Structures are given as structure tokens and as C-alpha cells.
């Protein structure tokens, strides 16, 4: 049996979001499928964490939903940090709900990186995609965090902006760089061409598609596979269901549940192994979510792809 180490565990601590972004598949899932609202409780997270035999290098909170809707989010982060300070804890958020929490609570929790989806330079350009969001509120929270860090002479958390480039904002890239540089934070520009029917959103001049931002600690050994996700990471939802990746198509393919089985058993079970063999082109299985993945369809062979 091949031995792969799960270095990155991504967890959605809630299954809802406060925004209605037009290209977000989960906006439609939440409307079309009557899924009961669910936050992962602190006690549930502790149960999962305490049963881990090997800790990952990184735990990412927030995948396809808004983690700040869970009022326990910074208690969870603080718990991880107190148990194992070597784990890199990241947060992916739209950050519009950050004013619910004290700045001290956010900064002193032990979070290392905060990835904020912010695709504009003012309310007008921002709200075209981040429907329901407040640009000024997000910027205000960023400024307060940066000021608090300066006062306390702290390096972390590092704030990193994820700016999705569309047709309506691609001419704002230079101004966005100026804005975020003035706040002393990083910005990453991405485009997404994965959703058919939304071609009017796609940028014309901005061509970069960045699959390889190095956020996921990869395996030491080289693996000949189209996608690296199932070899080094998994995604867990607020119900405890485990998925082989964070791709939209994977959410109909549950490989286990952390509240019903050990994480270690799930990591090596038949479903996970089948997916790895498929991506290594060692078998041909029809019931694999990768088949409908737009990244897989592009057939970027032998590239470590980050969804």
C-alpha cells in the first residue's frame, strides 16, 4: 500500500455564507438543496482533533463557506494553537463579518495567514461580484489589524488578498496593487474560467491562471499525477463529511465522516485509493468526481494543481 501523508486539512466550520457571489456554485447549492444550517461546534472540533494520530502541517479554516459565521471560529483557532504551535493555521474569508470580533481576539488567536476575497478598490467595483459585502468595513478591519500588530510588534497574522480578475475589474489591477501595498499586505490576482454560462464575466486582457500558489505542503516524493489534492490534503464540511478535494464536483463524493470513523482510516480507505490511482492513470473508474472537474479536463499533466 502506498503511504501518503495528509499535510493539509481544510475545514468548513459552517455551511452557509453571508454573500451571494454570482459565480459561486455554493450560492446555488444552498438555494436549490434544502440543507439544514450547521456550524461545527468547538466540542466537535476538539473530538476530531484529539483523535488525530498525526497532525497536519496546515489546517485551513474556510473552504466554500464563510467561517466567520461560526462564532466559535477563534476559539477553534486558539485551541489548535494551544495544542500544537507548529501547525500553520490559515483562514479563508470575505472578512465582512470581522467587526463581530474584537481585533485582539483575531490577532491573538494564533492565526498565521488570513486570505481575504476582495475583488475591487471601492464599493462599486467590489460589490459587482461580492454581492452583499461592505468594502469599507473590510478595509477598516484590515487597517485595525495592521495597527494592532505594529503596536504589539507582531509579525502575524499576515493578511493576503485574493483578487479574482473579471472583465469589470481587470483595468483596476495597478490601482489595487497601490491600495494593498499602502496597507502593507500581499495581493494575489487570479482568474477563473471554470464555469460555463458565465463567459461574460471572464477578463479579456488578464491571462494568468494561477494554479500553483504554494499554499499546500506537498509530499516529499514526486508523484506522477494530474492533480495532487488527494495525495496531500482533504476537505471536511461542518457535518464531518470528508471529501477528496475542495472542487465543486467532489461534494457529491463523500469518502467518510470524521465523527463516525478515524481520520487515519478514511485517509487510506478504498475511495481515497481509487481516486489516487485514477489520477495516476493506473485505473479507469467511472464513479470518480475528477472526471467532471474543469481542471482535470484541461489535462495539466504532471503539474501540482491547487484548486
Amino acid at each position: 500500500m502506498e503511504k501518503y501523508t495528509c499535510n493539509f486539512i481544510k475545514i468548513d466550520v459552517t455551511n452557509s455564507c453571508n454573500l451571494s457571489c454570482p459565480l459561486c456554485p455554493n450560492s446555488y447549492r444552498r438555494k436549490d438543496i434544502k440543507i439544514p444550517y450547521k456550524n461545527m461546534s468547538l466540542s466537535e472540533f476538539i473530538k476530531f482533533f484529539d483523535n488525530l494520530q498525526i497532525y497536519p502541517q496546515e489546517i485551513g479554516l474556510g473552504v466554500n463557506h464563510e467561517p466567520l459565521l461560526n462564532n466559535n471560529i477563534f476559539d477553534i483557532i486558539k485551541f489548535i494553537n494551544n495544542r500544537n504551535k507548529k501547525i500553520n493555521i490559515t483562514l479563508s474569508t470575505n472578512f465582512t463579518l470581522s467587526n463581530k470580533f474584537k481585533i485582539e481576539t483575531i490577532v491573538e488567536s494564533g492565526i498565521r495567514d488570513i486570505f481575504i476575497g476582495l475583488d475591487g478598490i471601492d464599493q462599486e467595483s467590489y460589490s459587482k461580484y461580492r454581492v452583499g459585502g461592505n468594502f469599507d468595513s473590510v478595509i477598516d478591519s484590515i487597517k485595525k489589524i495592521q495597527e494592532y500588530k505594529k503596536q504589539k510588534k507582531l509579525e502575524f497574522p499576515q493578511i493576503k488578498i485574493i483578487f479574482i480578475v473579471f472583465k469589470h475589474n481587470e483595468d483596476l489591477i495597478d490601482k489595487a496593487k497601490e491600495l494593498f501595498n499602502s496597507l502593507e499586505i500581499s495581493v494575489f490576482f487570479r482568474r477563473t474560467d471554470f464555469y460555463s454560462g458565465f463567459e461574460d464575466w471572464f477578463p479579456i486582457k488578464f491571462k494568468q491562471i494561477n494554479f500553483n500558489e504554494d499554499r499546500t505542503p506537498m509530499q516529499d516524493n514526486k508523484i506522477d499525477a494530474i492533480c495532487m489534492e488527494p495525495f496531500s490534503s482533504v476537505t471536511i464540511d461542518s457535518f464531518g463529511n470528508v471529501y477528496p478535494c475542495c472542487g465543486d464536483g467532489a461534494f457529491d463524493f463523500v469518502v467518510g465522516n470524521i465523527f463516525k470513523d478515524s481520520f487515519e482510516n478514511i485517509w487510506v480507505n478504498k475511495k481515497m485509493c481509487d481516486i489516487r490511482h485514477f489520477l495516476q492513470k493506473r485505473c479507469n473508474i467511472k464513479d470518480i468526481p475528477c472526471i467532471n472537474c474543469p481542471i482535470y479536463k484541461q489535462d495539466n499533466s504532471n503539474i501540482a494543481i491547487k484548486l
Side-chain angles (χ1 to χ4, degrees):
M1 178 185 296
E2 305 101 330
K3 292 185 178 179
Y4 303 109
T5 302
C6 185
N7 294 319
F8 190 9
I9 298 178
K10 310 168 199 175
I11 304 176
D12 260 327
V13 293
T14 188
N15 66 341
S16 190
C17 186
N18 60 316
L19 302 187
S20 300
C21 303
L23 269 68
C24 177
N26 294 290
S27 294
Y28 299 97
R29 285 173 61 87
R30 287 188 290 267
K31 292 178 182 177
D32 297 339
I33 304 174
K34 300 297 182 181
I35 303 174
Y37 181 67
K38 175 70 168 72
N39 284 333
M40 183 179 291
S41 68
L42 177 60
S43 60
E44 286 176 324
F45 184 87
I46 291 174
K47 179 181 179 181
F48 155 68
F49 191 88
D50 282 348
N51 287 331
L52 286 175
Q53 296 179 17
I54 300 175
Y55 294 136
Q57 294 178 27
E58 180 174 345
I59 292 179
L61 300 171
V63 187
N64 293 284
H65 306 283
E66 177 47 50
L68 297 190
L69 282 170
N70 189 325
N71 292 330
N72 294 315
I73 182 64
F74 292 105
D75 293 325
I76 291 173
I77 293 169
K78 191 172 182 178
F79 167 79
I80 301 171
N81 190 52
N82 288 339
R83 285 295 180 90
N84 192 317
K85 296 185 183 301
K86 293 182 179 180
I87 297 177
N88 181 29
I89 311 168
T90 63
L91 184 71
S92 296
T93 171
N94 59 52
F95 219 49
T96 57
L97 299 174
S98 54
N99 54 12
K100 289 199 313 179
F101 305 92
K102 294 180 179 180
I103 295 300
E104 179 182 1
T105 299
I106 297 173
V107 176
E108 302 287 354
S109 65
I111 190 76
R112 182 181 178 89
D113 295 309
I114 301 177
F115 292 88
I116 301 176
L118 196 63
D119 325 296
I121 60 169
D122 52 29
Q123 181 63 26
E124 181 181 2
S125 56
Y126 166 78
S127 61
K128 285 185 178 178
Y129 184 68
R130 304 285 169 176
V131 179
N134 188 308
F135 178 85
D136 292 331
S137 175
V138 176
I139 295 297
D140 183 60
S141 291
I142 291 173
K143 289 179 177 178
K144 288 178 179 178
I145 288 176
Q146 295 297 82
E147 181 60 30
Y148 186 92
K149 286 165 54 183
K150 286 181 180 179
Q151 291 177 359
K152 299 292 184 178
K153 298 181 179 179
L154 299 173
E155 182 181 1
F156 300 105
Q158 294 287 317
I159 296 177
K160 301 177 180 180
I161 302 299
I162 305 299
F163 188 110
I164 302 179
V165 181
F166 300 107
K167 186 183 296 183
H168 71 267
N169 65 10
E170 64 179 331
D171 291 329
L172 302 177
I173 289 178
D174 288 339
K175 291 182 178 180
K177 290 178 180 178
E178 292 178 9
L179 170 62
F180 300 125
N181 285 339
S182 71
L183 297 173
E184 299 180 342
I185 57 179
S186 302
V187 57
F188 300 93
F189 297 96
R190 294 177 173 174
R191 62 178 283 164
T192 174
D193 292 352
F194 300 152
Y195 303 108
S196 59
F198 292 92
E199 287 78 11
D200 288 344
W201 284 86
F202 301 159
I204 298 172
K205 293 175 287 187
F206 185 80
K207 301 301 182 182
Q208 180 180 2
I209 303 179
N210 185 4
F211 295 138
N212 294 316
E213 183 190 340
D214 188 17
R215 284 183 55 199
T216 307
M218 292 299 182
Q219 303 288 337
D220 292 333
N221 56 313
K222 293 182 179 180
I223 302 170
D224 185 10
I226 293 171
C227 173
M228 290 299 299
E229 289 281 320
F231 296 90
S232 59
S233 66
V234 293
T235 297
I236 301 173
D237 69 16
S238 57
F239 292 94
N241 295 317
V242 182
Y243 306 90
C245 74
C246 59
D248 306 322
F251 288 91
D252 294 322
F253 194 85
V254 178
V255 298
N257 186 289
I258 57 171
F259 302 132
K260 298 178 181 179
D261 197 359
S262 73
F263 180 81
E264 283 70 24
N265 285 343
I266 296 170
W267 180 247
V268 297
N269 69 17
K270 185 178 185 301
K271 284 188 174 182
M272 286 296 294
C273 290
D274 283 347
I275 286 179
R276 293 178 188 127
H277 291 163
F278 176 82
L279 292 171
Q280 291 174 307
K281 299 183 178 180
R282 293 167 54 185
C283 67
N284 186 14
I285 305 174
K286 293 183 179 180
D287 187 23
I288 293 290
C290 314
I291 294 174
N292 296 317
C293 174
I295 293 182
Y296 174 79
K297 288 179 180 179
Q298 292 188 27
D299 195 21
N300 290 286
S301 300
N302 303 324
I303 296 178
I305 298 174
K306 178 73 174 66
L307 293 178

